[in-house]
Amino acid sequence: MAYNNLTGKIPNKFQFNMEANVDLSTNSFEGPLPLWSSNVTTLYLRNNLFSGPIPLNICGAYPDLTDLDISRNSLHGTIPLCIGDINQLTTLALDNNQLIGQLPDFWGKLPYLYWIDMSENHLSGQIPGSLGSLSSLMFLRLSGNNLSGELPSSLRNCTRMISIDLSNNRLSGLIPAWLGETMRSLLILSLRKNRFSGPIPLKICSLSGLHILDLSGNNLSGSIPSCFCYLEAFKVELTDAAYEGKLNLVAKGRIDYYDTILYLVNSIDLSSNSLSGEIPVEITSLLKVVTLNLSRNHLTGNIPTDIGKLGRVETLDLSINQLSGPIPPSIASLDFLTHFNFSYNKLTGKIPTSTQFQTKVDPTIFQGNAALCGPPLKECDGDRTKTSDSGTDDEGETDDEDKLEKVWFFAVVGLGYSVGFWVFFGTLVIKKRWRIAYFKFIETCLLEFDEWSWSFQHKMLGYLTCRRNT
């Protein structure tokens, strides 16, 4: 009965005669979580209005559960320890509730569990080491809590891991190198907004399938590894190999939630750290990256000349660094670029002319670069001098253009006069009959004019004589 507008409380008296799959998700049911007969195997109650604590005897009520999804409700309290006794469990989704307390330490009893989502709650404490006993674990999402401490080294045993999202917590320490040594199937790594420090481990480059890397909002230092060129998933065409996954991702200046199309996203976000050094030239080999955010670091040097090779990039943010030199002209070839920011660096020279830059009239994307010029910023000195020397008139035409127009005008008039002259008189020279007729016509006109002139003179003489006598 999922995806309806059903309301009210659900009776606790449902009984099923065989293994039951129950899906009441995305309605408006309220009240406490229902407890029915023990032969329910899959229970989906997500996105409702259920409230109160998770029943302490939920494991006794549903001992054969394989899938439990009670996410996106208003549940509060702690996570019952008895969930660890549901040993057939494969997926556990408790995200987007108001759960408190520490992460339970019961994971050693759940050998088939491959999906854990406890994100967006109020959980605290450290990540228990027993999570490393989940050899089938593929998706781990604990973001949006108050977790602290370092990543337990036992997680290196989760060799089938596909997605790790620990963003928006208070985790600290180094990003462990074993992430790239043992989790070779990792596709998503999001550690955004934590307190991780130290360099980006070079072993990350061993994750050839990684297509989302979000390490933003930490205290990472050192340089951007040049071995990023080995992240092969950023070089190939996106495939239709869909997989399960959910993630909040910053793209185009906003936070978007991805689920069904997450496998189509290619993103690298290293912003808001303390990274230094130059942007490695090798990063321009990631031809299919869609989002590249290196803002709010201490990067120096020039923007790579071949950055125009990133033909699929839609978001490019290099703001608030110490980059110098010109903006490479190759950037004008980025046809998909819709959101970019180069502000507050030490960039110099003229802003490249391109369709993307001409349509982005907001000067804030270039501000904070005193030596940068061109639209939409101040006019470049060279352009101003050239305009002044050429002498632009009120109609926007230069003196050189005016002189050229005059030359063309007189040339056309002269040519027209010559053509007309020779067409007329050349015909008289060739055609004797026309020539005789033309001169007779002129002679007749002259004779008539002569007679009219003598008559006019005679009349004027008589008129003047008459006036004198009067």
Side-chain angles (χ1 to χ4, degrees), residues 97-115:
N97 281 287
Q98 301 171 24
L99 301 175
I100 60 173
Q102 297 187 351
L103 283 176
D105 194 4
F106 51 48
W107 308 105
K109 306 176 184 179
L110 303 171
Y112 307 110
L113 190 63
Y114 79 92
W115 175 289

Side-chain angles (χ1 to χ4, degrees), residues 239-251:
T239 66
D240 57 355
Y243 60 84
E244 299 175 275
K246 300 177 182 179
L247 188 68
N248 288 320
L249 194 65
V250 178

Side-chain angles (χ1 to χ4, degrees), residues 191-241:
L191 304 178
R192 181 170 61 95
K193 287 192 176 181
N194 277 284
R195 300 176 182 177
F196 289 107
S197 58
I200 300 174
L202 298 181
K203 291 295 184 179
I204 293 290
C205 302
S206 301
L207 302 173
S208 59
L210 194 70
H211 68 95
I212 295 178
L213 176 62
D214 192 347
L215 306 179
S216 61
N218 284 283
N219 299 315
L220 301 178
S221 57
S223 59
I224 299 174
S226 59
C227 64
F228 271 14
C229 59
Y230 296 117
L231 299 176
E232 296 295 330
F234 291 100
K235 298 181 180 181
V236 298
E237 290 289 344
L238 300 175
T239 66
D240 57 355

Side-chain angles (χ1 to χ4, degrees), residues 277-291:
E278 298 185 359
I279 299 175
V281 176
E282 290 81 2
I283 207 168
T284 60
S285 66
L286 307 181
L287 306 181
K288 307 303 179 183
V289 65
V290 176
T291 297

Side-chain angles (χ1 to χ4, degrees), residues 215-220 270-275 295-298:
L215 306 179
S216 61
N218 284 283
N219 299 315
L220 301 178
L270 307 179
S271 62
S272 300
N273 281 288
S274 297
L275 299 173
S295 65
R296 299 178 183 274
N297 280 287
H298 306 299

Side-chain angles (χ1 to χ4, degrees), residues 18-328:
M18 58 186 70
E19 291 185 352
N21 302 304
V22 179
D23 189 354
L24 304 178
S25 57
T26 312
N27 281 285
S28 296
F29 291 120
E30 57 187 13
L33 288 178
L35 296 177
W36 299 316
S37 56
S38 59
N39 51 2
V40 174
T41 57
T42 61
L43 182 60
Y44 302 105
L45 302 177
R46 66 179 176 274
N47 200 20
N48 277 284
L49 302 175
F50 293 113
S51 58
I54 300 175
L56 296 178
N57 60 336
I58 190 171
C59 56
Y62 304 120
D64 298 324
L65 273 182
T66 59
D67 300 86
L68 175 61
D69 187 349
I70 50 178
S71 61
R72 297 185 179 275
N73 282 284
S74 298
L75 303 173
H76 57 79
T78 59
I79 300 173
L81 294 177
C82 75
I83 290 181
D85 296 326
I86 311 176
N87 52 24
Q88 298 298 314
L89 206 58
T90 59
T91 64
L92 176 61
L94 310 178
D95 57 283
N96 288 274
N97 281 287
Q98 301 171 24
L99 301 175
I100 60 173
Q102 297 187 351
L103 283 176
D105 194 4
F106 51 48
W107 308 105
K109 306 176 184 179
L110 303 171
Y112 307 110
L113 190 63
Y114 79 92
W115 175 289
I116 299 175
D117 191 348
M118 297 183 178
S119 61
E120 306 303 326
N121 280 288
H122 305 294
L123 301 174
S124 59
Q126 298 185 0
I127 299 176
S130 61
L131 271 175
S133 63
L134 299 175
S135 58
S136 299
L137 188 61
M138 301 171 68
F139 298 89
L140 176 61
R141 192 162 184 245
L142 303 175
S143 60
N145 284 288
N146 296 312
L147 302 177
S148 58
E150 299 182 3
L151 294 182
S153 59
S154 60
L155 282 178
R156 70 196 320 159
N157 299 324
C158 303
T159 57
R160 300 180 60 189
M161 194 78 76
I162 290 177
S163 175
I164 297 178
D165 181 11
L166 305 177
S167 59
N168 289 281
N169 280 288
R170 296 184 295 172
L171 299 171
S172 58
L174 300 176
I175 297 177
W178 47 257
L179 286 171
E181 292 174 344
T182 63
M183 298 183 179
R184 295 302 182 93
S185 301
L186 199 63
L187 304 180
I188 298 172
L189 177 60
S190 179
L191 304 178
R192 181 170 61 95
K193 287 192 176 181
N194 277 284
R195 300 176 182 177
F196 289 107
S197 58
I200 300 174
L202 298 181
K203 291 295 184 179
I204 293 290
C205 302
S206 301
L207 302 173
S208 59
L210 194 70
H211 68 95
I212 295 178
L213 176 62
D214 192 347
L215 306 179
S216 61
N218 284 283
N219 299 315
L220 301 178
S221 57
S223 59
I224 299 174
S226 59
C227 64
F228 271 14
C229 59
Y230 296 117
L231 299 176
E232 296 295 330
F234 291 100
K235 298 181 180 181
V236 298
E237 290 289 344
L238 300 175
T239 66
D240 57 355
Y243 60 84
E244 299 175 275
K246 300 177 182 179
L247 188 68
N248 288 320
L249 194 65
V250 178
K252 299 182 180 180
R254 64 179 185 269
I255 299 178
D256 291 329
Y257 174 74
Y258 292 88
D259 48 15
T260 56
I261 63 170
L262 186 59
Y263 67 98
L264 295 175
V265 180
N266 276 356
S267 174
I268 295 178
D269 192 344
L270 307 179
S271 62
S272 300
N273 281 288
S274 297
L275 299 173
S276 58
E278 298 185 359
I279 299 175
V281 176
E282 290 81 2
I283 207 168
T284 60
S285 66
L286 307 181
L287 306 181
K288 307 303 179 183
V289 65
V290 176
T291 297
L292 179 60
N293 191 347
L294 306 179
S295 65
R296 299 178 183 274
N297 280 287
H298 306 299
L299 300 176
T300 57
N302 295 344
I303 300 174
T305 305
D306 293 334
I307 199 168
K309 291 182 178 179
L310 304 179
R312 290 294 183 88
V313 69
E314 298 177 8
T315 298
L316 178 62
D317 195 343
L318 306 178
S319 63
I320 315 181
N321 279 287
Q322 300 174 26
L323 299 172
S324 57
I327 299 176

Side-chain angles (χ1 to χ4, degrees), residues 385-402:
T385 302
K386 182 178 179 181
T387 302
S388 177
D389 293 342
S390 62
T392 303
D393 60 17
D394 292 339
E395 296 180 355
E397 298 175 337
T398 63
D399 290 341
D400 292 339
E401 292 174 343
D402 191 39

